[in-house]
Amino acid sequence: MNVSTEPVILKLGGSVITDKAADQGVVREDSLRRIAKEVSEYRGKMIIVHGAGSFGHTYAKKYQLGKVFDPEGAIVTHESVKKLASRVVDTLNEYGVRAIAVHPMCCTICRNGRIESMYLDNIKLMLENGLVPVLHGDVVMDLELRACVLSGDQIVPYLAKELKITRLGLGSAEDGVLDNDGKTVPEITPKTFEDFKHYIRGSGSTDVTGGMLGKVQELLELSKTSCITSYIFNAGKDDNIYRFLNGEPMGTTISPDKRV
Ligand SMILES: Nc1ncnc2c1ncn2[C@@H]1O[C@H](COP(=O)(O)OP(=O)(O)OP(=O)(O)O)[C@@H](O)[C@H]1O
Ligand SMILES: [Mg+2]
């Protein structure tokens, strides 16, 4: 087993831990338990970020969050994703993972939907003291829009950059970025993105933050401004999370351009 002393950032996609076809928050219990077990078998430090799935996107869409400021919509959506966070944290703790929720609404400010600042000292201390911070897609206050939807896909590369963490992966319900034949694209870099862009769309379900295209764009931004390689992989398949945490490359790799 390759246990790194550096933390790993893992995103649990809302499409894996919830039923995204539901019109209200529904947890996929079996999937969450299996994931909690795999996470518990990893001994290193980690940060978990989970998607909002049907606990967030449905309400964000209903109240048009990000387009119009709706205090009731912001509260309903935030309360709903907090419920999911509590289910995730409780299940992880049942399996012995010392998980603790960090709600982005309470520590983040955005500007036009992009993170302007996030309070990180608590997360650093949690990592130093053996706790596993669990963040999630949330509604957060925004300097221009008043409130916006902050995707877990944006939080992951932000944390990687700010905390200088180089191993990160977005686990979702597909094997990675798929081409038109359903085959996994092995690698995308900023230069090769144009070759693959036409395969990559939003989500098959309700998703206000860009589905697969949103993920690829967030990770490409990171690869343009750092030497970090990240992964989009299938967290819905047995053992993949365990293998990812232990250092196996998998799914689609999003990498910086090769030096010539
Ligand atoms: N080329 C592609 N390859 C793979 N998936 C794609 C592609 N184009 C679009 N998709 C869609 O993107 C979805 C994944 O994004 P989505 O945001 O729904 O998942 P998630 O991140 O697990 O959920 P959440 O945002 O709630 O965390 C896939 O389930 C699929 O419907
Ligand atoms: Mg999404």
Side-chain angles (χ1 to χ4, degrees), residues 177-215:
V177 176
L178 306 178
D179 66 16
N180 282 351
D181 299 323
K183 286 206 201 93
T184 308
V185 174
E187 185 179 39
I188 302 176
T189 72
K191 268 190 193 151
T192 65
F193 177 54
E194 284 302 317
D195 304 340
F196 300 109
K197 202 175 158 186
H198 57 285
Y199 301 135
I200 315 171
R201 298 182 193 90
S203 174
S205 337
T206 305
D207 190 292
V208 297
T209 51
M212 188 54 82
L213 186 59
K215 289 180 205 313

Side-chain angles (χ1 to χ4, degrees), residues 11 20 57 153 207 209 211 215:
K11 184 190 171 210
K20 274 186 86 159
H57 294 288
D153 299 337
D207 190 292
T209 51
K215 289 180 205 313

Side-chain angles (χ1 to χ4, degrees), residues 33-250:
R33 292 195 166 278
R34 181 204 31 94
I35 288 171
K37 184 170 181 295
E38 288 184 32
V39 168
S40 73
E41 284 159 0
Y42 180 64
R43 298 279 159 245
K45 292 180 191 293
M46 71 190 118
I47 299 176
I48 292 179
V49 178
H50 67 76
S54 51
F55 284 76
H57 294 288
T58 36
Y59 302 106
K61 193 175 169 202
K62 179 177 165 195
Y63 291 101
Q64 296 189 50
L65 299 184
K67 292 196 188 102
V68 281
F69 176 60
D70 183 329
E72 184 193 327
I75 293 166
V76 168
T77 310
H78 174 63
E79 289 301 320
S80 176
V81 292
K82 260 186 7 186
K83 279 188 195 129
L84 176 60
S86 141
R87 298 283 290 277
V88 172
V89 162
D90 287 352
T91 311
L92 287 165
N93 274 284
E94 269 178 50
Y95 282 83
V97 179
R98 295 206 170 98
I100 190 153
V102 177
H103 305 302
M105 169 55 109
C106 311
C107 59
T108 315
I109 290 173
C110 281
R111 184 185 294 279
N112 278 322
R114 307 300 302 171
I115 300 173
E116 173 104 351
S117 65
M118 190 186 272
Y119 182 74
L120 298 171
D121 289 0
N122 53 349
I123 294 177
K124 288 179 194 163
L125 277 171
M126 286 173 192
L127 290 171
E128 276 173 30
N129 288 285
L131 292 169
V132 175
V134 177
L135 294 94
H136 53 86
D138 202 353
V139 188
V140 307
M141 300 316 288
D142 189 296
L143 291 162
E144 302 288 337
L145 307 170
R146 300 165 79 187
C148 71
V149 175
L150 174 60
S151 164
D153 299 337
Q154 186 185 156
I155 296 173
V156 169
Y158 178 86
L159 290 177
K161 229 174 155 180
E162 294 296 316
L163 301 174
K164 302 192 172 30
I165 293 174
T166 59
R167 183 149 182 85
L168 55 141
L170 304 182
S172 191
E174 306 287 349
D175 285 341
V177 176
L178 306 178
D179 66 16
N180 282 351
D181 299 323
K183 286 206 201 93
T184 308
V185 174
E187 185 179 39
I188 302 176
T189 72
K191 268 190 193 151
T192 65
F193 177 54
E194 284 302 317
D195 304 340
F196 300 109
K197 202 175 158 186
H198 57 285
Y199 301 135
I200 315 171
R201 298 182 193 90
S203 174
S205 337
T206 305
D207 190 292
V208 297
T209 51
M212 188 54 82
L213 186 59
K215 289 180 205 313
V216 174
Q217 285 170 331
E218 294 290 355
L219 297 181
L220 277 175
E221 276 312 305
L222 180 71
S223 72
K224 280 180 199 165
T225 51
S226 71
C227 54
I228 299 174
T229 289
S230 50
Y231 304 87
I232 298 175
F233 69 97
N234 196 338
K237 284 194 176 159
D238 286 0
D239 285 337
N240 273 4
I241 286 184
Y242 179 78
R243 287 166 52 203
F244 165 74
L245 289 171
N246 284 291
E248 253 185 69
M250 59 173 59

